[in-house]
Amino acid sequence: LGAPFVQSMVSKEHMDKFRQFENSGKLNAIVFILFLIPGLPKDVFTYLVPLTDMRMRSFLLLATIGRIPGVFISTYAAAGLTDGNVTTSIIIFAVAGVLMVLGILFRNPLMDLLSGKKKKARENGDDTDK
């Protein structure tokens, strides 16, 4: 359906955030980190990233490598449940849950840090949190 459809489904704020990442020159690192964080809706990134200048090869590589730890850990935890090692599985799911909650709670400061927004504000003499 193309860019107009995606833009109609995604808020302007999220589109602007991805543009900031693209302009910061850190889009590759940010996409990789976002794929590492458990619990984030990764399918959304597959719709947003093609609207940037990131090459498809780079995106596929970053997405694949970024998903490997999560797939491995969730598979290991699920195997623990089927093998009767419930304690290990609960610990893995709890750690993943804590990381997800921390990612949600600190998403704005984390995204500002990754996009270089705070650094730019300090360089311009504005240290206020916006």
Side-chain angles (χ1 to χ4, degrees), residues 71-88:
V71 170
F72 177 76
I73 290 169
S74 62
T75 302
Y76 183 77
L81 289 175
T82 61
D83 293 341
N85 194 354
V86 177
T87 304
T88 301

Side-chain angles (χ1 to χ4, degrees), residues 2 9 12 60 76 80 90 100-101 110 125:
M9 300 300 287
K12 183 176 178 348
L60 292 175
Y76 183 77
I90 289 173
M100 180 180 70
V101 169
L110 180 61

Side-chain angles (χ1 to χ4, degrees), residues 91-103:
I91 290 169
I92 291 170
F93 289 131
V95 169
V98 167
L99 290 173
M100 180 180 70
V101 169
L102 289 173

